[in-house]
Amino acid sequence: TALTMLSQAAAALARVLQAEKATSARVRAEQESLRSTLLLSLSHDLRTPLAAILGSVSSLRQLGASLPEAARDDLLLAAEEETRRLSRYVDDLLTMTRLNTGLKPQMNWVDPADVVHGAVARARAAHPGHSFSPFAGETGKLVRSDAALLEQALFNLLENAAKFSPPGSEITARLALDKDKMCFEIEDNGPGIPPDQHERIFDPLFRGADSSTSGTGLGLAIVRGIATLLDGTVSVKSPLNAAGGTCFTFSLPMENVEPT
């Protein structure tokens, strides 16, 4: 009867609403757990450079006049390096926060070669001990994207490569068109990434069991967040050979590429 059908429909609707409430509650719980984990991790990561800066400044204030010039220079250099490190941590945190709160990309036609050059220049300044190869590859096409976000993603990939590569080793940035997408490739000569970690490395705060590098653990999570925001993808191939090596590919769809 009609009454029975209405009763069944109401019961089905109640189940759907209950399921939606349960899903929303689970999502909120996961977000709160991630937020708490981020705060705990960042409080530790931020304290380290702050302690180093405070120690350098205190030593200069208390002993500056009696310290040899070389010792003063070392303390100033340590304070400068830790300040830059702290600034990158704060940038990562702000970027992750913006991505999680509905950041709207500013889409314009940009020259992908200019974006790569900008990211490489930043990487060279941040990691002078590494060799970043000249930009390789020209497409002759513009891409519709947010230049600032795209450069940030590529810089994060270059910085990740620097962290896990031996000092002085070469890190290569390439640009190419591949069938239905434009690809930005960052390749290094580091130890490589175990296949079972290829997906986990993009999780916030994930660090490999054998990782001794410093950082917030947000760099690659930010790269994936930006890729999603720009309708692109990011993938990893590693190891590249018996000695290791890793290649990250950040791709944008061909519909975002200037037509011929």
Side-chain angles (χ1 to χ4, degrees), residues 153-170:
L154 299 182
F155 170 74
N156 282 18
L157 291 175
L158 289 165
E159 181 166 60
N160 183 77
K163 286 180 179 179
F164 291 93
S165 298
S169 63
E170 187 175 60

Side-chain angles (χ1 to χ4, degrees), residues 27-37:
V27 170
R28 285 196 299 271
E30 290 173 351
Q31 290 175 337
E32 187 59 35
S33 176
L34 176 59
R35 187 179 296 111
S36 298
T37 305

Side-chain angles (χ1 to χ4, degrees), residues 27-87:
V27 170
R28 285 196 299 271
E30 290 173 351
Q31 290 175 337
E32 187 59 35
S33 176
L34 176 59
R35 187 179 296 111
S36 298
T37 305
L38 282 172
L39 288 174
L40 287 173
S41 176
L42 289 170
S43 65
H44 173 269
D45 290 327
L46 295 177
R47 277 199 300 267
T48 303
L50 282 173
I53 294 167
L54 180 59
S56 296
V57 172
S58 297
S59 297
L60 286 168
R61 184 179 64 81
Q62 296 171 8
L63 306 171
S66 61
L67 288 173
E69 183 177 353
R72 292 198 301 270
D73 287 344
D74 286 344
L75 287 171
L76 287 171
L77 178 60
E80 180 181 1
E81 289 177 344
E82 291 300 328
T83 300
R84 294 183 187 279
R85 179 181 170 192
L86 180 61
S87 178

Side-chain angles (χ1 to χ4, degrees), residues 160-220:
N160 183 77
K163 286 180 179 179
F164 291 93
S165 298
S169 63
E170 187 175 60
I171 297 168
T172 305
R174 291 191 297 267
L175 173 63
L177 289 175
D178 179 21
K179 297 181 181 178
D180 60 346
K181 56 194 174 186
M182 176 175 284
C183 300
F184 301 82
E185 298 178 345
I186 308 298
E187 184 174 320
D188 65 55
N189 295 305
I193 303 170
D196 62 349
Q197 293 184 9
H198 284 189
E199 279 300 313
R200 297 180 63 199
I201 57 174
F202 295 103
D203 293 340
L205 306 180
F206 176 79
R207 294 183 177 93
D210 57 349
S211 174
S212 59
T213 61
S214 62
T216 60
L218 296 178
L220 293 180

